[in-house]
């Protein structure tokens, strides 16, 4: 199955099973790319948030006019920080951003229980590496990419190119079929 892709300088569509690496500066305008990715040609989507809480994700979706009825959010921050949380059909939690096995398990459950055109957004791999370590984040990213292929879904994985050294960035680039690179001025370059 093919998925329409609403990213400038990118192909019109990508096949199911494709993982897209979004390389961006720490201050980059990732919300625009992320929300365009999620709201286009999608039946259901999962936002794996290691950078913000579920409430902040919901506010972002609302601000960018994304259909929240299609959204499930996996919040990795609220439990660790002691924030109030209410589990629902649309919001799930793991204990902390370094609970990478929990993240992979919850993603697998989501993919197994939702049909149609499915997208995931991992915001962000950088935070996974910060809370766990680079090797564990790399391994978890590989596992998530395998799940995309198995379930004919697509995913967008955020990685800051200002935080990681060149060797780490290249290591992650090699995992992906496609790369979208956002610069500090908001310009987009792609490799597909």
């Amino acid at each position: 199955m093919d998925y329409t892709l609403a990213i400038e300088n990118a192909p019109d569509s990508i096949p199911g099973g494709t993982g897209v690496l979004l390389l961006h500066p720490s201050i980059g305008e990732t919300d625009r790319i992320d929300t365009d990715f999620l709201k286009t040609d999608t039946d259901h989507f999962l936002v794996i948030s290691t950078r913000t809480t579920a409430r902040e994700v919901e506010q972002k979706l609302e601000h960018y006019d994304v259909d929240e009825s299609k959204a499930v959010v996996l919040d990795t921050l609220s439990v660790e920080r002691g924030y109030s949380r209410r589990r629902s059909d649309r919001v799930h939690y793991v204990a902390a951003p370094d609970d990478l096995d929990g993240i992979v398990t919850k993603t697998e459950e989501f993919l197994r229980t939702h049909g149609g055109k499915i997208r995931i957004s991992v915001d962000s791999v950088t935070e996974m590496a910060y809370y766990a370590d680079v090797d564990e984040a790399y391994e978890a990213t590989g596992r998530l990419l395998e799940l995309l292929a198995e379930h004919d879904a697509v995913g967008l994985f955020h990685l800051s190119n200002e935080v990681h050294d060149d060797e780490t960035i290249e290591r992650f680039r090699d995992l992906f079929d496609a790369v979208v690179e956002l610069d500090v001025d908001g310009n987009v370059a792609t490799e597909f």
Side-chain angles (χ1 to χ4, degrees):
M1 155 173 28
D2 284 348
Y3 289 76
T4 301
L5 196 59
I7 297 175
E8 61 186 283
N9 300 323
D12 291 337
S13 65
I14 54 175
T18 300
V20 178
L21 179 64
L22 174 59
L23 282 173
H24 60 86
S26 292
I27 57 168
E29 300 174 21
T30 59
D31 286 355
R32 167 178 55 94
I33 291 177
D34 197 38
T35 53
D36 283 349
F37 176 80
L38 292 172
K39 69 182 175 183
T40 306
D41 194 23
T42 305
D43 294 311
H44 305 282
F45 63 85
L46 173 68
V47 176
I48 301 167
S49 186
T50 60
R51 193 176 57 81
T52 57
T53 65
R55 182 69 199 123
E56 292 168 298
V57 171
E58 289 167 342
Q59 289 169 344
K60 176 176 87 171
L61 297 176
E62 185 179 332
H63 177 76
Y64 284 91
D65 199 28
V66 180
D67 184 351
E68 292 179 66
S69 71
K70 298 178 179 183
V72 173
V73 179
L74 178 58
D75 179 333
T76 70
L77 292 174
S78 291
V79 174
E80 180 186 61
R81 293 186 180 170
Y83 297 153
S84 64
R85 54 203 179 272
R86 287 186 294 268
R87 192 184 180 290
S88 70
D89 290 342
R90 295 223 169 95
V91 180
H92 301 273
Y93 298 90
V94 296
D98 64 354
D99 182 5
L100 302 183
D101 286 338
I103 290 170
V104 171
T105 298
K106 291 286 189 184
T107 303
E108 185 174 23
E109 287 172 11
F110 170 80
L111 291 168
R112 194 178 63 245
T113 58
H114 290 79
K117 291 195 170 184
I118 308 296
R119 296 177 189 247
I120 68 167
S121 169
V122 180
D123 188 6
S124 81
V125 175
T126 295
E127 295 296 320
M128 289 165 58
Y130 173 76
Y131 284 97
D133 66 36
V134 169
D135 289 340
E136 288 182 42
Y138 179 85
E139 192 263 336
T141 300
R143 290 167 65 194
L144 291 170
L145 289 169
E146 288 172 7
L147 289 173
L148 292 182
E150 184 181 329
H151 294 275
D152 203 27
V154 294
L156 185 68
F157 294 71
H158 298 234
L159 186 74
S160 172
N161 56 13
E162 290 182 346
V163 173
H164 304 286
D165 60 32
D166 291 345
E167 181 181 333
T168 299
I169 291 169
E170 285 309 308
R171 187 176 172 204
F172 277 96
R173 276 181 103 107
D174 289 345
L175 273 178
F176 287 86
D177 304 314
V179 178
V180 172
E181 196 157 355
L182 185 63
D183 71 16
V184 291
D185 297 318
N187 299 311
V188 176
T190 62
E191 296 172 25
F192 282 80

